[in-house]
Amino acid sequence: MFNLSESIAALADKIDRGGRLSRSEAKTFLSEAPLALLGLLATHAKERKSGKAVFYNRNFHIEPTNVCVFNCRFCSYRRPADSPDAWDYSKEEILAQVDSHRGSGATEVHIVGGVHPRNGLDYYIDLIRSVKGRMPQASVKAFTAIELA
């Protein structure tokens, strides 16, 4: 099916038998194995754990603000603070959004937005705690790498 080097074939066999790769083996495998083989082995590993069952979450998104200090070329979402198109929800407005999804079966609250010049780490910690307090059964998936940085 695949034309593989001996070392990649041996690693593929190890994975297919349920073995774990070392960090260096994983780096080698990731950089040298065909993408289709990676997908095939990932499918086999997943099916060993949970068969053909498929899992998903039910989430909703909260975007607290589109005000952002950055001006990334790819982003059409961001607005400067003085823009008439800018929005910045209060904590109460954000929690009202959470409340509107209580009882919906949601398993995840996804929060992303702009990098607001006024909001620091304490603001976001409080926001996550408040959201989790309103919907303790849901996971909170929040912020992109740039927002965290």
Side-chain angles (χ1 to χ4, degrees):
M1 178 181 217
F2 296 102
N3 185 15
L4 305 174
S5 69
E6 283 185 41
S7 62
I8 294 300
L11 292 175
D13 185 58
K14 183 177 181 179
I15 295 166
D16 198 40
R17 289 182 283 110
R20 296 198 43 100
L21 301 183
S22 69
R23 186 178 295 267
S24 67
E25 288 173 328
K27 285 181 183 178
T28 299
F29 197 74
L30 185 59
S31 66
E32 296 179 22
L35 181 60
L37 178 60
L38 293 170
L40 181 67
L41 291 169
T43 299
H44 287 171
K46 182 263 176 221
E47 287 178 351
R48 269 195 305 272
K49 289 185 180 236
S50 59
K52 296 284 186 185
V54 177
F55 302 91
Y56 62 94
N57 69 46
R58 295 181 66 179
N59 72 3
F60 64 93
H61 291 236
I62 296 175
E63 297 167 340
T65 185
N66 68 344
V67 174
C68 188
V69 298
F70 295 107
N71 192 15
C72 303
R73 288 183 183 183
F74 60 85
C75 181
S76 62
Y77 172 82
R78 164 256 187 228
R79 297 293 180 268
D82 59 353
S83 170
D85 296 325
W87 81 82
D88 187 16
Y89 293 124
S90 69
K91 181 176 162 183
E92 292 73 27
E93 290 171 314
I94 293 167
L95 292 176
Q97 291 179 43
V98 173
D99 289 341
S100 74
H101 288 89
R102 286 169 59 181
S104 70
T107 58
E108 178 185 271
V109 182
H110 190 146
I111 305 171
V112 293
V115 179
H116 198 290
R118 191 178 65 233
N119 299 336
L121 186 59
D122 290 336
Y123 168 84
Y124 293 106
I125 291 170
D126 179 57
L127 179 62
I128 291 171
R129 281 189 179 132
S130 298
V131 168
K132 190 69 175 165
R134 293 286 176 100
M135 231 174 173
Q137 77 284 4
S139 297
V140 176
K141 178 179 177 181
F143 313 121
T144 61
I146 193 69
E147 289 171 279
L148 294 172

